[in-house]
Amino acid sequence: MSGVLILGADRAGAGRGDLAIQDGRFVEPADLGPGAEQIDADGLVALPGLVDLHTHLREPGREDAETVATGTAAAARGGFTAVLAMANTDPVTDTAEAAEHLAALGDRDGLAQVVPVGAVSKGLAGVELAELGLMARSAAGVRVFSDDGHCVADARLMRRALEYVRAFDGVVAQHAQDPQLAGRDACCHEGALSGRLGLPGWPAAAESTIVARDVQLAELTRSRLHVCHVSTAETVEVLRWAKQRGIAVTAEVAPHHLLLTTEEVRGYDPVYKVNPPLRTDEHVLAVRNGLADGTLDAVATDHAPHARHDKEHAFPDAAFGMLGLETALAVVIETMVDTDRLTWPDVSMRMSYAPAHIARLSGQGRPLRVGEPANLTLIDPAARAVVDRDASASLSRNNPWHGRNLPDPVVATIWNGRITFRR
Ligand SMILES: [Zn+2]
Ligand SMILES: [Zn+2]
């Protein structure tokens, strides 16, 4: 493999300098072989390759919505070099074989590292624990377990999952949503607007009550809990309390919860139907502040592609979920960097180092230093563009940012020394 020489990049907190890559790793520029590709990075910022803790790749089972190839192409365009692939595929990733199969698909088709997330319960049914130990000891080396799409509602099952994963330094990632409080028909945030629109909503408390329970179970079991897609002010408060108490809990926020509010639902456009739902300004401000002060450790996309025939329905009948991989960094720049809430080293922490550490990935979330795996994204912080859903690498078009003027930062993505995206 011929090398890459990146000239004059701002290395996000480590000063300006050249970056040389050979055989998948950073090397001294003097050790670069002949024929290296040169990238002029004057005015650009180099970030460690982004890691997404929460992606739905849809393969196997729903290859009409997304595949490993198209989902990781979208990831590469968004600056990501690794994605954790949620278990709610068909079949569910609830066995060692299923996890190994997905990892092999990633090795074959991926433009980023594909890390399987294992289900907590068999078939995501919330009744019986899945083969957590076998998945952990498999070639896929699963460390993150989640029934995402469903909440592990049974407190005893949640306790047992937490106890189990402790043996191999795993983590249980909870989609926190009390199913009784949320109800079967709810499709948006419960509040004054849902009443006026005649849409059944579910209350913010359906999330924070489960998180309050689970942080106490994490304390009881001395195990690791991760909270998916935090969307409410009360959840941020509970997490702040838990962290002050020394409980091993981490949490993520999705880009759409940093910028969009339930006001989007006024037009009944199902592209804005997502779980957890878009909330109010008060909650948006709380998750921004939580991400700024580190109560929320990571940004994770919850990239949820859907085929047209699943999404293009009346609002109450449409599938939950929106695309996120290609626009995540753009939204973080818009809401967090351009508003002086986060610096570039903070962005590296929230979108690369912290997620890699939470998932215990050894080759990701590493500094841009000689000897380290060459995973990085080169960004132009000043570039902007109008988002065009038809320009997406994803197979799906449920893009809530379509037509919006946003930062358009990613110039190139390099995964293990290989250029996976270049503008
Ligand atoms: Zn979820
Ligand atoms: Zn999800």
Side-chain angles (χ1 to χ4, degrees), residues 54 148-149 175 229 275 302:
H54 195 142
D148 183 58
H175 173 119
H229 41 52
N275 181 348
D302 200 4

Side-chain angles (χ1 to χ4, degrees), residues 75-389:
R77 283 189 183 210
F80 291 90
T81 54
V83 297
L84 278 96
M86 281 297 173
N88 64 339
T89 46
D90 183 14
V92 170
T93 312
D94 59 359
T95 64
E97 292 71 27
E100 286 174 351
H101 175 68
L102 179 58
L105 277 178
D107 290 342
R108 192 189 73 186
D109 297 342
L111 283 175
Q113 184 181 352
V114 174
V115 183
V117 173
V120 171
S121 68
K122 286 184 181 168
L124 309 175
V127 178
E128 213 182 324
L129 279 189
E131 300 172 350
L132 309 185
L134 292 177
M135 286 189 272
R137 286 190 293 275
S138 75
V142 177
R143 287 294 176 275
V144 181
F145 297 87
S146 182
D147 274 1
D148 183 58
H150 303 269
C151 180
V152 179
D154 181 329
R156 220 185 83 180
L157 191 73
M158 188 65 184
R159 175 188 180 169
R160 288 185 49 222
L162 285 163
E163 280 168 350
Y164 210 109
V165 301
R166 203 161 74 98
F168 38 83
D169 196 22
V171 60
V172 179
Q174 174 73 293
H175 173 119
Q177 179 188 345
D178 184 293
Q180 270 80 34
L181 262 181
R184 291 181 70 86
D185 301 326
C187 59
C188 64
H189 174 66
E190 181 184 294
L193 184 64
S194 64
R196 277 206 298 280
L197 296 176
L199 293 172
W202 75 92
E207 177 176 297
S208 51
T209 51
I210 292 289
V211 176
R213 180 198 79 178
D214 286 353
V215 293
Q216 292 173 79
L217 293 177
E219 182 172 46
L220 174 69
T221 57
R222 287 173 293 124
S223 187
R224 286 205 294 141
L225 169 72
H226 178 74
V227 182
C228 297
H229 41 52
V230 171
S231 70
T232 81
E234 293 78 11
T235 300
V236 175
E237 285 304 307
V238 170
L239 289 168
R240 209 167 263 140
W241 170 82
K243 287 189 165 192
Q244 274 162 9
R245 209 172 151 88
I247 297 171
V249 59
T250 55
E252 69 190 34
V253 59
H256 43 271
H257 290 123
L258 290 169
L259 184 51
L260 301 177
T261 70
T262 190
E263 290 297 318
E264 304 289 350
V265 171
R266 273 184 193 281
Y268 298 96
D269 183 343
V271 81
Y272 298 112
K273 182 174 173 183
V274 65
N275 181 348
L278 302 175
R279 308 280 187 188
T280 57
D281 283 333
E282 162 209 357
H283 294 293
V284 168
L285 188 61
V287 293
R288 285 184 185 185
N289 290 339
L291 185 62
D293 72 17
T295 303
L296 305 179
D297 304 80
V299 174
T301 68
D302 200 4
H303 178 84
H306 286 296
R308 283 180 200 276
H309 57 271
D310 291 320
K311 197 63 175 168
E312 290 180 2
H313 288 283
F315 197 91
D317 304 321
F320 286 103
M322 43 181 64
L323 301 186
L325 282 167
E326 288 165 289
T327 46
L329 184 58
V331 176
V332 169
I333 291 173
E334 181 90 345
T335 58
M336 304 298 295
V337 179
D338 288 352
T339 59
D340 294 326
R341 288 183 170 91
L342 293 182
T343 62
W344 293 120
D346 296 332
V347 172
S348 303
M349 182 59 75
R350 305 291 191 279
M351 296 188 78
S352 179
Y353 300 137
H357 183 67
I358 290 165
R360 299 295 192 255
L361 300 181
S362 54
Q364 299 277 348
R366 303 292 307 161
L368 308 176
R369 218 159 44 202
V370 169
E372 297 285 358
N375 294 312
L376 81 151
T377 179
L378 265 184
I379 66 165
D380 177 354
R384 296 187 73 91
V386 174
V387 176
D388 176 7
R389 65 181 161 221

